[in-house]
Amino acid sequence: MYQRIVILTGAGISAESGLQTFRAADGLWEQHNIEDVATPEGYQRDPLLVERFYNSRLSQFSDHSIKPNLAHLALAKLTREFDGQVLLVTQNIDDLHEQAGSTWVHHMHGELHKGRCPITQQTFAMTHPFGEHSVCTCCLPAQKLRPHVVWFGEIPIGMPAIHQALAQCDLFIAIGTSGTVYPAAGFVDEANFAGAQTLSINIDAISSDSLFQYHLKGKASEMVPLVVDKILAHQRVGE
Ligand code: BJW
């Protein structure tokens, strides 16, 4: 049935694992000013504030109660068992897809378990919280690592490979994303242009719904396993 699938996940897929989304009434952007904590200018102005924001999320991610849910597990099964190509692209900086067993995950907005040297751009696994003690080993003197995340105004990671996969895909699925942040919000257009089937899975209606051919309204943990079973049974997702 399908041969080349692109899956895009957003904060909604991790919500049922206990991580806050950004734009919900109790979301991260209600409690923090985007310009202060998610822009390079904000980091330049007040690095301590930004480090506190990401350190608190890092410690939340490390909490043992935060585990992959059935949606993460179903996608891991898809990446293992599908006999065509699957590109799993996530906007999330948590590692729940990896914890679920997905081996190759494209983190277009970075990964919070890594810090990045501001000089060489080399990334390092975080052994300390962001601050004076989290430094690179590639420079002399050692440089303070910045969070390996993509802030507004920065170019997301690995875009050429994503555009190429979208141009060739026959199925595109967006899961738990509000479709408000570009370039990810434009992926559905690229998939439509390629002639792919497009499906959105979300608990709520979103502004970009009209761009998708199919919608499944419901929790990711309930909808994603159903869709994965259909794909693995060589059925069309819209039927
Ligand atoms: C559930 C659920 C459940 C809940 N089951 N569903 C004007 C027009 C167009 C673009 C721009 C513009 N002005 C500026 C721009 C560009 C800008 C942008 O898009 N701004 C918009 C806000 C307008 N974009 C950028 O700057 C990007 N860079 C860029 O464009 O570079 C230029 C370039 C690109 C490519 C080629 C060449 C040049 C960078 C964007 C960086 C975004 N960074 C953040 C922070 C990352 C680090 C961190 O985590 O702190 O990424 S912002 C934040 O939003 C985070 C997320 O990944 C991203 C998307 O959020 P997401 O995942 O969609 O979460 P929510 O909360 O919005 O939605 C959750 C959804 O789940 C909801 O719909 C719920 O209903 C649903 N849900 N529970 C299913 N159980």
Side-chain angles (χ1 to χ4, degrees):
M1 171 77 270
Y2 302 109
Q3 289 176 338
R4 283 181 282 271
I5 303 175
V6 177
I7 306 220
L8 171 70
T9 64
I13 197 170
S14 297
E16 290 170 71
S17 295
L19 296 179
Q20 272 173 297
T21 64
F22 294 91
R23 294 170 183 83
D26 58 349
L28 287 163
W29 293 161
E30 280 301 311
Q31 295 152 12
H32 303 271
N33 190 347
I34 296 184
E35 285 76 25
D36 290 339
V37 297
T39 63
E41 296 78 17
Y43 182 58
Q44 220 166 15
R45 233 179 2 252
D46 192 347
L48 294 184
L49 174 80
V50 178
E51 285 167 2
R52 259 203 315 276
F53 174 66
Y54 284 102
N55 282 338
S56 97
R57 288 175 65 198
L58 198 52
S59 76
Q60 196 190 9
F61 289 6
S62 312
D63 185 322
H64 293 300
S65 67
I66 306 291
K67 293 195 184 75
N69 62 55
L70 293 175
H72 296 104
L73 293 168
L75 291 180
K77 178 176 167 188
L78 182 70
T79 58
R80 269 195 318 271
E81 297 182 14
F82 183 60
D83 47 13
Q85 292 172 16
V86 188
L87 179 65
L88 176 54
V89 183
T90 187
Q91 299 170 87
N92 301 341
I93 61 175
D94 64 58
D95 65 352
L96 292 173
H97 284 301
E98 286 86 349
Q99 285 188 44
S102 288
T103 44
W104 206 88
V105 184
H106 191 116
H107 284 272
M108 65 177 288
H109 290 166
E111 294 168 85
L112 191 52
H113 291 93
K114 292 180 183 169
R116 189 163 82 230
C117 168
I119 308 278
T120 66
Q121 309 306 321
Q122 200 174 316
T123 59
F124 296 86
M126 289 303 293
T127 48
H128 297 86
F130 293 102
E132 293 311 316
H133 299 291
S134 64
V135 292
C136 73
T137 52
C138 52
C139 299
L140 265 179
Q143 301 293 311
K144 194 158 88 158
L145 298 174
R146 63 157 272 183
H148 179 49
V149 301
V150 178
W151 289 318
F152 284 104
E154 297 184 319
I155 296 187
I157 296 164
M159 290 309 299
I162 300 176
H163 289 313
Q164 194 181 353
L166 286 165
Q168 296 172 346
C169 72
D170 45 24
L171 175 64
F172 171 70
I173 309 178
I175 303 164
T177 176
S178 58
T180 48
V181 175
Y182 286 83
F187 290 175
V188 61
D189 291 323
E190 294 179 53
N192 279 325
F193 190 71
Q197 286 200 329
T198 53
L199 166 71
S200 160
I201 299 177
N202 202 301
I203 39 164
D204 279 329
I206 52 170
S207 56
S208 58
D209 268 351
S210 60
L211 302 173
F212 287 85
Q213 289 162 5
Y214 303 106
H215 310 96
L216 280 175
K217 193 169 177 204
K219 292 180 176 175
S221 64
E222 291 169 7
M223 298 299 153
V224 176
L226 298 178
V227 169
V228 165
D229 285 347
K230 272 196 159 184
I231 295 170
L232 292 176
H234 302 285
Q235 291 167 8
R236 293 167 76 87
V237 295
E239 286 163 6

